[in-house]
């Protein structure tokens, strides 16, 4: 099945745009989904970050859970779960809404403590902790006095960190502070599918414990699904609008081509003066229209030259042919009856008459081509005219069976001489092509404002290759049987019918008969 160029343009535009939208939607949703996961991961990391850098007592996590409830509210906290586990597997804390599948997750690897700095094992503080454990400064000791001895000089007023927190302080003396470096922790994230839905899990661990914070992804997936639904609805409407727009633009783009085709289709032999209008302002279309119009100029010029030549040649031949006909008539009259000379002159005279008929037909066709075929239209009794044509056919071919279906009183508006010429051409053609002892049928009928005359004769069907060429000039279906014909009869008959506002057509082969229908306006 052949598809129009407009349909192809619209389809290609629709498919390409739809594919681009599909790719864009896939990439966009991939990034949106990943961005949503990253947002959840950042939120989980923010929760855990503040509690994993230092050592926390066990009761801290109970307070931590309450703090989250205060911040997020009870409704939001229903989608957040917490699980804290010591290195030996002891569960320090677990939320009530924590999914059971959370306990099956392997604990993340503990973060290794950072390696000691070079020389740290021989630092003064380490030596004091090892050798002078238990010594304190006399300024900070509230108990009974005792001798510090050499230790006071070596320790330079320092005590061990383990005991400093338990030494009584002198009034107004702050307790020494020993800042501990922040703990490092490792983190990883994964999505866990459970019976209650999907959870996003953040796994954190430092040297002291492992923390698992889970966040329910139901709201996240609900947002993604709503967004996907809205996107698909919008894209569907966009594709419909895109399809209509593509069809409109394709039709608009092909409109100049349609105008060119319509104008070119309306240019006939009698309308070669028509030209294709300049459609659009595109350079390509302007060039195409210019080329077409120049081609039409050349065709019109050549055609008129050919028509003038045919008319001039036919007109110039009429005079010498008439003179030859007169001379042959005189020669026949002066020749002895039955002599060879008289028979030869008679044969030449018949050929000359055929030649004059051809010249006369060519002249009529030339006038028809130029639009100068003068029609002297007047009411004509078509019933009588066709009955006369049937009688002439019976006299021309007495062996044929002539049938007529001609009602009385059918009239039409026509030129009697030209119409009679057309009828003679049709009947002559039927007499030559009808099978021996065949049948010729004359049918006349009037329908609405038209008169239809159908001439049918028994004959083999016309070959399919010859049917489109049947009305071409000098075309012969069977050249062996039409050696005496000119091949101009049907062409001239059709031109006469069209000059009257009617037409002559070949009907489909039926009932073993070839038939032609001549249509004329009713009188």
């Amino acid at each position: 099945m052949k598809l129009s160029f407009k349909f192809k343009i619209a389809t290609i535009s629709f498919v390409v745009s739809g594919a681009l939208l599909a790719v864009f939607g896939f990439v966009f949703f991939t990034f949106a989904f990943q961005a949503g996961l990253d947002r959840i991961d950042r939120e989980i990391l923010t929760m855990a970050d503040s509690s994993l850098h230092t050592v926390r007592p066990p009761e801290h996590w109970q307070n931590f859970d309450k703090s989250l409830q205060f911040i997020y509210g009870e409704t939001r906290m229903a989608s957040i779960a917490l699980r804290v586990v010591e290195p030996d597997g002891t569960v320090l804390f677990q939320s009530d809404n924590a999914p059971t599948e959370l306990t099956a997750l392997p604990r993340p690897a503990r973060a290794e403590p950072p390696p000691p700095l070079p020389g740290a094992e021989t630092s003064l503080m380490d030596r004091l902790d090892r050798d002078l454990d238990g010594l304190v400064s006399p300024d900070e000791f509230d108990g009974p006095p005792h001798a510090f001895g050499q230790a006071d000089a070596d320790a330079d007023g320092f005590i061990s960190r383990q005991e400093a927190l338990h030494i009584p302080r002198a009034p107004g003396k702050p307790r020494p502070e020993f800042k501990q470096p922040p703990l490092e922790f490792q983190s990883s994230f994964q999505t866990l599918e459970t019976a209650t839905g999907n959870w996003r899990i953040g796994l954190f661990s430092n040297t002291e414990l492992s923390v698992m914070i889970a966040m329910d992804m139901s709201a996240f997936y609900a947002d993604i699904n709503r967004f996907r639904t809205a996107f698909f609805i919008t894209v569907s409407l966009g594709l419909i609008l895109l399809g209509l727009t593509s069809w409109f633009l394709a039709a608009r783009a092909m409109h100049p081509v349609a105008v060119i085709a319509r104008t070119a289709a309306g240019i006939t032999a009698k309308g070669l003066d028509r030209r294709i209008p300049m459609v659009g302002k595109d350079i390509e279309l302007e060039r195409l229209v210019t080329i077409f119009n120049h081609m039409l100029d050349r065709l019109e010029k050549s055609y008129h030259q050919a028509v003038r030549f045919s008319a001039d040649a036919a007109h110039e031949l009429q005079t010498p042919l008439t003179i030859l006909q007169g001379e042959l008539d005189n020669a026949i009259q002066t020749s002895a009856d039955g002599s060879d000379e008289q028979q030869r002159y008679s044969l030449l005279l018949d050929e000359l008459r055929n030649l004059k008929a051809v010249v006369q037909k060519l002249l009529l066709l030339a006038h028809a081509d130029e639009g100068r075929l003068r029609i002297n239209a007047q009411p004509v009794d078509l019933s009588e005219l066709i009955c006369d044509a049937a009688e002439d056919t019976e006299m021309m071919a007495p062996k044929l069976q002539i049938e007529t279906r001609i009602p009385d009183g059918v009239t039409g508006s026509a030129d009697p001489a030209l119409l009679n010429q057309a009828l003679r051409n049709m009947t002559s053609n039927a007499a030559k092509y009808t099978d021996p002892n065949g049948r010729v049928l004359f049918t006349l009928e009037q329908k609405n404002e038209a008169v239809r005359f159908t001439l049918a004769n028994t004959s083999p069907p016309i070959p399919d290759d010859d049917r489109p060429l049947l009305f071409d000039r000098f075309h012969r279906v069977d050249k062996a049987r039409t050696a005496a014909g000119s091949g101009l009869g049907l062409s001239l008959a059709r031109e006469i019918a069209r000059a009257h506002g009617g037409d002559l057509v070949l009907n489909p082969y039926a009932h073993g008969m070839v038939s032609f229908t001549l249509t004329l306006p009713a009188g």
Side-chain angles (χ1 to χ4, degrees):
M1 182 179 65
K2 293 183 179 180
L3 301 176
S4 66
F5 190 61
K6 178 173 66 175
F7 178 80
K8 291 180 181 178
I9 293 177
T11 302
I12 292 174
S13 301
F14 179 80
V15 171
V16 171
S17 302
L20 291 176
L21 282 177
V23 173
F24 168 77
F26 175 77
V27 174
F28 180 79
F29 274 111
T30 300
F31 278 103
F33 187 84
Q34 189 59 45
L37 288 182
D38 293 341
R39 178 183 57 80
I40 296 175
D41 293 346
R42 287 194 301 271
E43 188 174 358
I44 293 175
L45 181 60
T46 302
M47 295 180 190
D49 184 71
S50 61
S51 300
L52 290 174
H53 285 297
T54 59
V55 179
R56 300 292 184 178
E59 61 272 11
H60 166 78
W61 301 105
Q62 183 73 28
N63 296 329
F64 179 77
D65 184 67
K66 292 180 180 179
S67 299
L68 292 179
Q69 292 183 12
F70 178 77
I71 294 173
Y72 290 98
E74 294 184 359
T75 303
R76 183 72 174 87
M77 274 301 298
S79 61
I80 300 176
L82 177 65
R83 178 180 170 85
V84 183
V85 183
E86 289 186 335
D88 60 359
T90 303
V91 179
L92 293 180
F93 180 79
Q94 180 170 315
S95 303
D96 296 335
N97 63 332
T100 57
E101 291 83 356
L102 195 64
T103 61
L105 289 178
R107 293 193 301 276
R110 294 176 58 192
E112 296 295 333
L117 296 174
E121 68 279 359
T122 59
S123 66
L124 176 62
M125 184 61 69
D126 290 335
R127 291 199 308 271
L128 289 177
D129 285 343
R130 183 176 64 249
D131 299 335
L132 303 177
D133 189 15
L135 298 181
V136 297
S137 169
D139 295 332
E140 297 179 1
F141 183 64
D142 297 332
H146 64 278
F148 285 90
Q150 185 64 33
D152 188 22
D154 295 337
D156 195 19
F158 285 98
I159 61 176
S160 76
R161 287 172 296 181
Q162 289 79 4
E163 295 182 3
L165 297 176
H166 305 284
I167 297 175
R169 292 175 295 158
K173 292 288 185 178
R175 179 180 296 169
E177 294 184 2
F178 298 92
K179 293 185 179 181
Q180 213 175 8
L183 297 178
E184 299 294 334
F185 65 91
Q186 295 181 350
S187 63
S188 63
F189 297 90
Q190 66 182 72
T191 301
L192 178 65
E193 185 176 354
T194 68
T196 59
N198 292 332
W199 293 74
R200 187 65 175 174
I201 311 297
L203 305 175
F204 309 95
S205 67
N206 56 23
T207 58
E208 303 297 331
L209 47 76
S210 299
V211 178
M212 302 179 187
I213 300 179
M215 184 171 289
D216 190 0
M217 300 180 69
S218 300
F220 169 71
Y221 281 118
D223 291 339
I224 290 294
N225 290 334
R226 283 195 298 269
F227 192 76
R228 183 187 294 111
T229 301
F231 179 81
F232 285 153
I233 293 175
T234 304
V235 168
S236 299
L237 296 177
L239 287 176
I240 294 174
L241 180 62
L242 178 64
L244 296 177
T245 304
S246 299
W247 183 262
F248 172 76
L249 292 178
R252 187 178 180 86
M254 294 303 297
H255 176 70
V257 179
V259 172
I260 293 173
R262 185 167 55 251
T263 305
I267 296 175
T268 61
K270 297 180 180 180
L272 284 175
D273 57 336
R274 296 184 59 184
R275 293 296 179 266
I276 298 174
M278 191 61 67
V279 289
K281 297 181 180 180
D282 299 323
I283 297 176
E284 295 82 3
L285 289 176
E286 289 183 357
R287 183 171 181 271
L288 180 63
V289 171
T290 302
I291 291 175
F292 265 109
N293 287 336
H294 288 170
M295 180 187 66
L296 291 174
D297 291 337
R298 295 191 298 271
L299 289 176
E300 183 184 16
K301 182 178 180 181
S302 300
Y303 180 78
H304 285 311
Q305 287 178 349
V307 169
R308 283 196 298 270
F309 173 79
S310 298
D312 293 342
H315 186 270
E316 294 296 329
L317 286 174
Q318 282 185 329
T319 301
L321 290 177
T322 302
I323 295 174
L324 286 175
Q325 183 178 4
E327 293 296 331
L328 287 175
D329 285 336
N330 293 332
I332 292 174
Q333 295 294 330
T334 58
S335 300
D337 294 339
S339 63
D340 295 337
E341 290 182 355
Q342 190 179 49
Q343 294 179 0
R344 189 179 302 111
Y345 291 150
S346 297
L347 180 61
L348 291 175
L349 183 59
D350 291 337
E351 294 296 331
L352 183 61
R353 288 172 178 169
N354 291 332
L355 183 58
K356 284 190 66 176
V358 170
V359 171
Q360 182 64 28
K361 292 177 181 178
L362 285 175
L363 185 59
L364 289 175
L365 288 172
H367 290 165
D369 292 339
E370 290 182 322
R372 297 191 296 111
L373 188 60
R374 296 183 178 86
I375 302 297
N376 184 20
Q378 55 184 315
V380 177
D381 189 344
L382 298 178
S383 299
E384 181 180 356
L385 193 63
I386 294 175
C387 286
D388 293 341
E391 293 177 359
D392 293 340
T393 305
E394 188 173 8
M395 295 177 58
M396 187 188 311
K399 294 182 179 181
L400 299 180
Q401 179 183 355
I402 307 299
E403 298 181 12
T404 59
R405 298 175 183 175
I406 304 172
D408 295 333
V410 178
T411 60
S413 178
D415 187 311
L418 291 177
L419 181 58
N420 191 44
Q421 175 74 39
L423 293 177
R424 284 202 308 269
N425 292 346
M426 293 176 63
T427 56
S428 174
N429 187 72
K432 285 185 287 188
Y433 279 93
T434 304
D435 295 334
N437 302 319
R439 183 165 63 101
V440 180
L441 177 61
F442 290 77
T443 303
L444 180 64
E445 57 184 351
Q446 182 173 354
K447 289 185 177 180
N448 299 327
E449 301 297 325
V451 177
R452 294 165 53 89
F453 165 60
T454 301
L455 179 62
N457 60 282
T458 55
S459 174
I462 298 174
D464 293 337
D465 294 340
D466 290 318
R467 292 179 69 89
L469 307 174
L470 200 60
F471 293 97
D472 289 354
R473 298 170 188 181
F474 300 105
H475 177 76
R476 297 173 180 176
V477 176
D478 187 354
K479 298 174 177 59
R481 295 179 57 185
T482 58
S486 62
L488 295 174
L490 289 177
S491 179
L492 179 59
R494 187 176 68 172
E495 291 297 334
I496 293 174
R498 290 180 174 178
H500 283 81
D503 202 358
L504 176 63
V505 296
L506 172 65
N507 299 321
Y509 186 78
H511 308 294
M513 304 184 78
V514 175
S515 62
F516 293 86
T517 297
L518 175 66
T519 305
L520 295 173

